Each structure stands twice: as structure tokens, then as C-alpha cells.
Amino acid sequence: MLSVQFIRENVDRVKRDMLLRNAPAPIDRILMLDEERKAFLQQVEQLRAKRNIVSKAIGQTKDPTEREIRITEMRLVGDEIDRLDGVLKVVEGELREKLYEVPNILDPNVPKGPDEESNVVVASSGTKREFRFQPRPHWELGEIVGGLDLARGARMAGSRFYVLKGPLARLQRSLIQFFLNAHTADGFTECYLPDMLSEASLLASGQLPKFRENLYRDFEQDYYFIPTAEVAFVNLYRDEILAPGSLPQRFVAHTPCFRREKMSAGRDVRGIKRGHQFEKVEMFVYCEPDRSEEEFAALVARTRALPEKLGVPHRLLALCSGDIGFNATKTFDIEVWAPGQDEWLEVSSVSNCLDFQARRANIRYRPTATDSPRAPHMLNGSGLALPRSLIAVMENYQQEDGSIVVPEVLRPYMGMDTIPVAVA
RNA sequence: GGAGAGGUGGCCGAGUGGUUUAAGGCGCGCGUCUUGAAAACGUGUGAGUGAAAGCUCCGGGGGUUCGAAUCCCUCCCUCUCCGCCA
């Protein structure tokens, strides 16, 4: 979240960014509540100071009449403190509630626009393969190689669930391995994380209270299923002060992701492109504020290297103001080409969230032993998301008979050069 | 899930209603000494808020009281034993 102080000192900028986001935010109300809060706080604290002094004196007073008089007096002061405290709590509660609703400010270079139509392609790499036959979509290929079972997935769990079998299950695992190894080889620390988190954690990471309807939840206990590993990484150091010299820290994890998406009928319905559950390899960086720009560039470069190594064309999009997520100040998407479906598929979002999440999760670091604590910057990026990178490999490497050539970099994991046509 | 014991500063640990402004130790910072380091000695050392005085924070929340780290309720977490289980 943004600090009240920052909002106070940058009212115009904050209001403008909220407009650009199409996200009306109660900025004036927040400033008003903050003024109220300060006024009540001052009153309460004066009374408390008085009570502290007199109460101490009571402890040392021998004369019983004198004691009685003061105790009676302090009883009234105490009542007044209780009353003001009650009011203060209400004001602070509303202030916090309102602050939780305000999204991050925008990086000045973010393209302006209301929705994804205004996203800008800023780079691309790889050339689309020329097919001498009509390339098939992945659900047809899955049927031909015999590793994709949509019908049984739907029967056991409902629509949008599927089963991967044999070589396709292995292909997915190979991709995960390949991604994880690529990042750990460069010093990212691999983590195994909880796939369910407490309500407090989802609040700290910005999923709650605003995006409750997108989350799956255990309905007896306080557990939410993570929609992305980012949520867990944000909470890794919640309520901590990191020691001098402990930044930057770079992490990577493979987790499942669970998203309750109310999908419009007819959109993305075929195949496995969009589901309620999917796998993802996620990178996460904690760093000092003056380094976050270069960490962002490094994350983008690192992410782009993956489709390049896989031999799949990709393009890089700068998300526009209306399409950037709540926590981010700036986001680049990486999309890979899926020739069978004839479309670009989003496989990664790389975001710089500045200190927005750190403040919300109450994470600080000390630059040197004598400095006071500051909020670190946090960045995240998928590298990469699973069913879609799987789709891209299948569709780009398909052959006329429906068999799939295994990309060079995945062969050590697959133990085969080609996924053959299944014997009927 | 059952029974018991706990949760105090970066760490250990004292504190059972009023000079506790949280003792003491370790660690850490700074200084003196030293060619340098160690040791020794000195000194300092939590966070938040505020212009400051001050106020708040002893796992979270609530209560009793003029006054709570201390008493009560409740929740969470850790440890030990039992049960269950991959």
C-alpha cells in the first residue's frame, strides 16, 4: 500500500495515476480521515500522559483521603480515554480499509490506455515457423500422441480440468525442471512453499480484501489456496527487519496456482490454455530501492531467454495503465506463439512493485547497522507458466503426422527425441 | 484430536499489581590502546508515531484496575507425551 504521507505529498500524481488505471480511489477521504486520526490521537495521548503521571503519584501517596480524591479523578480520565480510543479505532479502521483499496502508483513510462488493446509490443524474438501442412491445435495433438485427457479430467473435477498422461505429463515435468535449473544455475534460491496460506498473508500480499472472489478457500479453516507463488514470497519475511547486507535476495519456486475465474462462455474454452489449476515457476526478488530498475531489466532478460532456448517465438509487451495489476508499478508480459491456435499466449508477467508490497507486509531492511529501517523493493516474474509453455512446445514442434519433436534443451529430461503418435 | 509446559529486545534470561524510564549477560556499533587484529577498558545499542514533550508496543485480541509484562477470558504459535497418519 501507499503511505498516507506519500499520498499527502503527491496528491495530484496519485489521483492522476488512479484515473489512468481506471481505478477510482478515495484519496480525499483518506486525507480527511488522516487529519481526524491525528487530532484524536493527540487528545488521547495527552490524557494518557496525565494518567501515567498521576497514577505513579498515587502509588506513593500515603494519605488515604488524598488517594481517594485522585483515584476518583483518574477514573473519569480513564472513561474519557476509553471513549476517545473507541472513536480513534473507528477512524483508524476506516483509514486502513480505504488505504487497502488504493493500487500502486504507475511508472511514468507506462503506456496510457484503458485496456489490453493499448498494450505495446516492445520487442520480439524468433521467427514463426513455416508449415507445409495445416498446424494442429494442441488438443488435437494431445489426442494423437495420447497424453491429454480432457473428458476424464472434467468427469472427476468439472470443466476446465484435465489429465496429462505419459509423454505429455513428462513434458510438463521436463519444462518445470528445465526452468528451475536455469534459474538456480544463476544463483536463484529454490524454495518449496505452502500452497495454502492464511487470510493474513493474502491481505498482506494485496489479494484481499479486493480480490476475494478470485480465490479458492477451505471453508472450515482459515486457508486460502495460492493464486501464484508470489503471494507466498511476499509473506516470506512478513513483519521482519532484514539485516544489513542481506539484499538482494532472489528466489524461485515451482508451485501449483489456483484461480477461481468466472470465465465467460465461449472464451478460451478449448484445450488447456486456461484452467482453475495450473503449474508455474515463479521468480521473486527482494532488493534495495536504487537497484530495482536493473533487477527488473534482468528479470525480463532472464524470462525472454527461456522461449529462446526452447526455440519458440515470443514477444514482449509493455502493459498499459489500464491493464497493470493492483500491486505493480510497471509490468511486461511475455507471450509465446502458438501456431496451432494461431495466437499469442501469455506465459509470463514481470512486475516491479517497488515498496508497495513491503509496506503492506511490514517488511523492512537496514541498509547499514546504524541506519533506520526502510522498505525494500519487490519484483516478481513468471519463468514460465506451465500449460501454455507446454502448448507452445507442442504446437511449434509438431510434425505432419501429429508426432512432436522434443526441443534440444528438454531431451535430457525427456529421454527421447520425439513424442510418437500413439498406437490406437 | 487429547493431556501438560511455555511465548519478555538480534539471542539468552530476570521480572507474580506501583522508582521497570524492561535487571543482567551474549552479540553488535563507536571510541581508547595496538603496526594490524584479538584481548582489555570505556561508551552506546529495539520499533512505530510526532516539530518536540510525549504516547504506544513484553505472541494476537478482549477484560479487571486509578495503574497490567504481572490478574482474568479467548485465539494463535512452539515444545513434550499420547492418538491418528503419508
Side-chain angles (χ1 to χ4, degrees), chain A residues 323-334:
Chain A
D323 202 25
I324 287 187
F326 186 82
N327 292 311
T329 190
K330 170 173 164 178
T331 299
F332 281 11
D333 275 6
I334 282 89

Side-chain angles (χ1 to χ4, degrees), chain A residues 235 237-241 360-364:
Chain A
N235 282 280
Y237 294 126
R238 175 148 57 91
D239 297 322
E240 290 192 50
I241 299 174
R360 195 147 166 153
N362 190 29
I363 299 168
R364 289 162 294 168

Side-chain angles (χ1 to χ4, degrees), chain A residues 30-47:
Chain A
I30 284 170
L31 293 175
M32 208 179 86
L33 285 165
D34 188 47
E35 290 303 316
E36 274 182 49
R37 184 187 64 87
K38 279 195 276 193
F40 282 116
L41 192 63
Q42 214 172 353
Q43 288 183 54
V44 163
E45 288 190 351
Q46 273 170 13
L47 288 175

Side-chain angles (χ1 to χ4, degrees), chain A residues 331-355:
Chain A
T331 299
F332 281 11
D333 275 6
I334 282 89
E335 296 184 336
V336 293
W337 178 242
Q341 280 178 248
D342 193 33
E343 67 171 332
W344 293 96
L345 298 178
E346 179 192 335
V347 288
S348 176
S349 259
V350 181
S351 298
N352 188 351
C353 297
L354 305 179
D355 60 2

Side-chain angles (χ1 to χ4, degrees), chain A residues 234-392:
Chain A
V234 168
N235 282 280
L236 189 61
Y237 294 126
R238 175 148 57 91
D239 297 322
E240 290 192 50
I241 299 174
L242 304 177
S246 56
L247 297 178
Q249 291 195 30
R250 304 185 184 92
F251 297 106
V252 64
H254 156 235
T255 68
C257 302
F258 304 93
R259 296 184 187 178
R260 165 179 274 138
E261 308 192 56
K262 301 180 205 73
M263 283 163 285
S264 50
R267 192 188 175 196
D268 302 334
V269 283
R270 299 217 62 179
I272 60 174
K273 172 179 158 187
R274 187 184 291 269
H276 293 305
Q277 169 189 331
F278 61 95
E279 305 302 302
K280 183 154 62 65
V281 172
E282 179 80 2
M283 300 174 285
F284 197 91
V285 175
Y286 286 84
C287 71
E288 304 205 33
D290 59 1
R291 293 223 20 181
S292 75
E293 268 308 303
E294 64 185 286
E295 291 290 341
F296 181 79
L299 276 182
V300 171
R302 157 170 303 286
T303 307
R304 294 187 63 192
L306 298 171
E308 276 166 13
K309 284 182 189 151
L310 286 171
V312 171
H314 78 268
R315 63 180 192 177
L316 185 67
L317 270 68
L319 294 200
C320 75
S321 59
D323 202 25
I324 287 187
F326 186 82
N327 292 311
T329 190
K330 170 173 164 178
T331 299
F332 281 11
D333 275 6
I334 282 89
E335 296 184 336
V336 293
W337 178 242
Q341 280 178 248
D342 193 33
E343 67 171 332
W344 293 96
L345 298 178
E346 179 192 335
V347 288
S348 176
S349 259
V350 181
S351 298
N352 188 351
C353 297
L354 305 179
D355 60 2
F356 187 83
Q357 293 174 309
R359 189 165 303 105
R360 195 147 166 153
N362 190 29
I363 299 168
R364 289 162 294 168
Y365 78 101
R366 218 182 281 278
T368 72
T370 49
D371 285 321
S372 51
R374 305 180 55 180
H377 281 195
M378 299 188 191
L379 304 94
N380 64 82
S382 353
L384 300 170
L386 251 299
R388 295 184 183 173
S389 43
L390 180 78
I391 291 171

